[in-house]
Amino acid sequence: MATLTPKLTQIASGLRFPEGPVAMPDGSVILVEIERRTLSRVTPDGRVQVIATLGGGPNGAAMGPNGKIYVTNNGGLKFVERPGRLFPVAQADDYTTGSIQVVDPVTGKSEMLYDRCDGRRLRGPNDLVFDRAGGFWFTDLGKTRERDADRGAVYYAQADGSMITEAIFPLERPNGIGLSPDERTLYVVETPTARCWAFTLSGPGRIESANGTYRGEKGRVVVGLGGYQMFDSLAVDGEGHVAAATLITGAVSDIWPDGSRVDQYTLPDMMVTNVCFGGRDLRTAFATLSMGGTLVSFEWPRPGLPLPYLNNA
């Protein structure tokens, strides 16, 4: 494993636990501020503009059909603040449910798209990715309380609110999720195990598997990190590498698709929570450093993967 220290550009500071970055064609970055409970826009000169106040705990964001932003809302977290540091510790006292929200970035109007599947409430939706067919995959990490925690799952849903289905259960606090360039592989990382799982897809929303439903019968482990490290959210680049935000170490882990190698780009915050690609030729990686509340960028060794509904090339 190679450890690299990239040259960083700090774009914004003072963010309230940022996550879910989306690099926009105009050079701005849309992201969530989980503690502030907002969807916000960071302009290239570092100004922060609130697009919408969403309540709960907006956790992940993605551009979807008709110019709308889709948000995975975990329902809310309880935070502890120390000088220059902010970190989540448990389920918020006012938590009611997790949900998928749709936001018009022009008007700031939001609506709830899903809050349950087959009668079961969503617990803590975390991250999402659209496919070229117009549906989206998302993780439900669940909620952690003082003495117990939920089991996690992965769902597939239609953007118009017409269908949601549970695709993978159980997983250990599934967090980041992404698709390979050919959309034949779905990647999911688990937070506490620091494992990156790969699931072969037979079509939009369909996982190739044996007849069982347990994760091990459907997927394979691409890598598992050693030591005390945890995975958060992720992005996939144009050559199929998984860029996984890595907690405790404070890095973005560059995972080769076959699992043969992992490089780590170390960043100055132990809670590196997410990464996305933008800029010229999608060669710029934008990372959220959440404990300190900053958004930074650095050069990625390969072009990022163009995402449906978003063209930053």
Side-chain angles (χ1 to χ4, degrees), residues 115-137:
D115 68 352
R116 65 192 67 211
C117 176
D118 296 330
R120 293 186 297 273
R121 284 192 176 274
L122 301 178
R123 302 300 301 170
N126 188 283
D127 195 14
L128 75 164
V129 63
F130 273 90
D131 61 24
R132 289 189 287 269
F136 64 96
W137 297 89

Side-chain angles (χ1 to χ4, degrees), residues 137-217:
W137 297 89
F138 72 93
T139 54
D140 190 329
L141 182 145
K143 303 301 286 185
T144 299
R145 294 161 293 276
E146 184 178 354
R147 293 188 177 272
D148 69 295
D150 300 319
R151 306 188 84 184
V154 171
Y155 295 88
Y156 185 77
Q158 293 296 333
D160 62 2
S162 63
M163 186 278 289
I164 180 172
T165 184
E166 183 182 89
I168 308 168
F169 177 85
L171 286 168
E172 300 302 321
R173 294 175 65 197
N175 198 316
I177 191 164
L179 289 163
S180 62
D182 63 4
E183 298 197 349
R184 289 298 310 275
T185 304
L186 178 74
Y187 294 105
V188 181
V189 295
E190 295 176 323
T191 295
T193 67
R195 289 180 184 142
C196 176
W197 287 85
F199 300 88
T200 300
L201 303 181
S202 58
R206 298 196 301 272
I207 296 176
E208 274 186 9
S209 69
N211 293 325
T213 58
Y214 188 70
R215 60 183 180 181
E217 296 176 15

Side-chain angles (χ1 to χ4, degrees), residues 4-155:
L4 307 165
T5 304
K7 181 181 178 181
L8 295 182
T9 298
Q10 180 171 300
I11 301 167
S13 61
L15 299 165
R16 301 296 292 178
F17 214 84
E19 244 265 43
V22 180
M24 303 298 289
D26 65 1
S28 68
V29 176
I30 290 178
L31 48 73
V32 299
E33 295 183 73
I34 301 179
E35 194 268 349
R36 197 179 185 187
R37 303 186 171 193
T38 63
L39 182 69
S40 304
R41 183 189 299 272
V42 178
T43 61
D45 61 1
R47 290 179 294 119
V48 181
Q49 306 163 343
V50 172
I51 295 172
T53 299
L54 299 177
N59 205 129
M63 178 65 76
N66 303 313
K68 302 294 179 64
I69 303 290
Y70 285 65
V71 175
T72 44
N73 194 309
N74 67 41
L77 298 169
K78 184 183 295 185
F79 286 86
V80 170
E81 188 161 12
R82 299 286 184 267
R85 297 185 298 168
L86 182 68
F87 48 96
V89 292
Q91 176 179 297
D93 292 336
D94 61 355
Y95 169 84
T96 57
T97 189
S99 66
I100 305 297
Q101 296 170 301
V102 184
V103 182
D104 184 329
V106 177
T107 65
K109 181 181 178 182
S110 66
E111 60 180 336
M112 191 275 292
L113 188 66
Y114 298 107
D115 68 352
R116 65 192 67 211
C117 176
D118 296 330
R120 293 186 297 273
R121 284 192 176 274
L122 301 178
R123 302 300 301 170
N126 188 283
D127 195 14
L128 75 164
V129 63
F130 273 90
D131 61 24
R132 289 189 287 269
F136 64 96
W137 297 89
F138 72 93
T139 54
D140 190 329
L141 182 145
K143 303 301 286 185
T144 299
R145 294 161 293 276
E146 184 178 354
R147 293 188 177 272
D148 69 295
D150 300 319
R151 306 188 84 184
V154 171
Y155 295 88

